[in-house]
């Protein structure tokens, strides 16, 4: 998150009651933002929030590292015992989630969640930046990758990430990791060409894609 992003959001979204802005994570890059005075962080979020909008956050992997890099002398009254929800709400977010959430059949998350083929759920996610799930001959586009460090299935954030496909010796049931691209929507700010997307416009696009790939 930076001032260019905040100013772009303000230029696209009216500051009116009833508008809820969802941030799907990595609002703060831990090692940079956690070194700043708390008032600087509050000002950034306050401008993005405006006077009437609500601001919800699903924590991303970099947000979870905030406490690791925090300079607590600049963040008083927050301290190492403060929960991440408390930290980010103190900065100005109205609601903070540390897990994906379900709205009807839509799963909102930071990192994409694994959905088996045939699932009726659709995952609106962040994290992957320029990389998107798509049907192609690219082996990594059809399968979830394996994060050997954290022992969980993830998609690489960037194409040059060091998170690689697990060797066959590590995961025998390879086909069980296959996913269907129609179940995913990459909502990353840069991937969306720096445009704020409404939930209704995303649902309409996903529904059209789902019909076209069924």
């Amino acid at each position: 998150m930076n001032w260019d992003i905040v100013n772009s959001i303000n230029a696209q979204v009216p500051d009116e009651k009833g508008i809820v802005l969802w941030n799907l994570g990595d609002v703060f890059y831990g090692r940079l933002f956690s070194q700043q005075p708390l008032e600087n962080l509050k000002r950034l979020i306050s401008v993005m929030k405006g006077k009437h909008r609500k601001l919800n956050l699903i924590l991303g992997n970099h947000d979870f590292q905030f406490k690791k890099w925090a300079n607590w002398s600049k963040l008083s009254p927050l301290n190492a015992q403060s929960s991440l929800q408390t930290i980010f709400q103190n900065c100005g977010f109205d609601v903070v989630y540390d897990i994906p959430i379900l709205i009807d059949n839509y799963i909102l998350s930071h990192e994409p969640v694994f959905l088996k083929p045939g699932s009726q759920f659709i995952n609106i996610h962040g994290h992957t930046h320029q990389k998107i799930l798509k049907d192609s001959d690219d082996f990594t586009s059809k399968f979830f990758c394996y994060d050997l460090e954290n022992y969980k299935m993830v998609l690489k954030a960037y194409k040059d990430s060091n998170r690689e496909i697990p060797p066959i010796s590590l995961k025998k049931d390879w086909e069980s990791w296959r996913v269907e691209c129609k179940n995913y929507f990459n909502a990353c700010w840069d991937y969306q060409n720096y445009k704020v997307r409404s939930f209704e416009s995303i649902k309409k696009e996903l529904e059209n894609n789902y019909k076209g790939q069924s």
Side-chain angles (χ1 to χ4, degrees):
M1 184 66 65
N2 56 43
W3 283 110
D4 288 338
I5 294 176
V6 169
N7 291 332
S8 179
I9 291 173
N10 281 333
Q12 297 180 60
V13 182
D15 186 3
E16 300 174 352
K17 291 183 178 179
I19 291 180
V20 180
L21 285 173
W22 281 90
N23 188 301
L24 298 185
D26 286 356
V27 63
F28 292 151
Y29 188 71
R31 70 179 67 191
L32 297 179
F33 286 94
S34 59
Q35 301 296 309
Q36 295 189 26
L38 183 61
E39 292 308 312
N40 288 4
L41 304 180
K42 285 185 174 182
R43 187 160 65 93
L44 185 74
I45 301 305
S46 175
V47 173
M48 179 169 61
K49 184 176 180 178
K51 294 182 179 180
H52 303 292
R53 295 186 289 240
K54 296 293 184 182
L55 202 55
N56 295 348
L57 171 65
I58 297 177
L59 295 173
N61 53 298
H62 287 296
D63 300 322
F64 278 107
Q65 295 178 5
F66 187 93
K67 295 175 74 171
K68 173 182 177 181
W69 301 102
N71 183 343
W72 297 112
S73 65
K74 296 182 179 181
L75 297 171
S76 178
L78 300 173
N79 55 57
Q81 283 69 51
S82 301
S83 68
L84 285 173
Q85 283 88 348
T86 297
I87 290 172
F88 284 89
Q89 285 178 329
N90 193 283
C91 288
F93 285 94
D94 292 288
V95 183
V96 179
Y97 300 91
D98 59 2
I99 57 174
I101 68 164
L102 182 65
I103 300 178
D104 297 326
N105 65 317
Y106 295 91
I107 300 172
L108 275 60
S109 65
H110 177 67
E111 293 187 9
V113 300
F114 179 72
L115 296 173
K116 291 184 177 180
S119 173
Q120 298 302 306
F121 293 105
I122 294 176
N123 181 204
I124 302 174
H125 64 85
H127 184 65
T128 53
H129 299 279
Q130 82 271 31
K131 184 178 177 63
I132 187 173
L133 277 170
K134 60 183 179 180
D135 288 311
S136 70
D137 293 330
D138 178 5
F139 195 55
T140 62
S141 294
K142 298 179 180 178
F143 296 84
F144 262 54
C145 300
Y146 197 75
D147 181 349
L148 296 177
E149 180 180 354
N150 297 307
Y151 299 98
K152 63 181 180 180
M153 289 184 290
V154 298
L155 284 175
K156 294 183 286 187
Y158 288 99
K159 291 181 180 179
D160 60 355
S161 170
N162 60 4
R163 290 175 173 176
E164 300 296 340
I165 305 170
I168 298 298
S169 60
L170 179 66
K171 190 67 177 178
K172 300 293 186 182
D173 54 335
W174 191 251
E175 282 297 313
S176 67
W177 287 21
R178 186 180 292 276
V179 295
E180 293 181 325
C181 304
K182 63 185 179 183
N183 293 117
Y184 294 88
F185 183 88
N186 185 354
C188 268
W189 179 250
D190 45 359
Y191 187 81
Q192 292 296 323
N193 295 317
Y194 310 102
K195 294 181 180 179
V196 179
R197 297 293 303 272
S198 70
F199 194 30
E200 290 304 317
S201 73
I202 291 175
K203 287 197 292 184
K204 185 175 181 179
E205 181 175 331
L206 285 167
E207 288 168 358
N208 290 336
N209 290 345
Y210 202 94
K211 291 177 183 177
Q213 297 182 43
S214 297

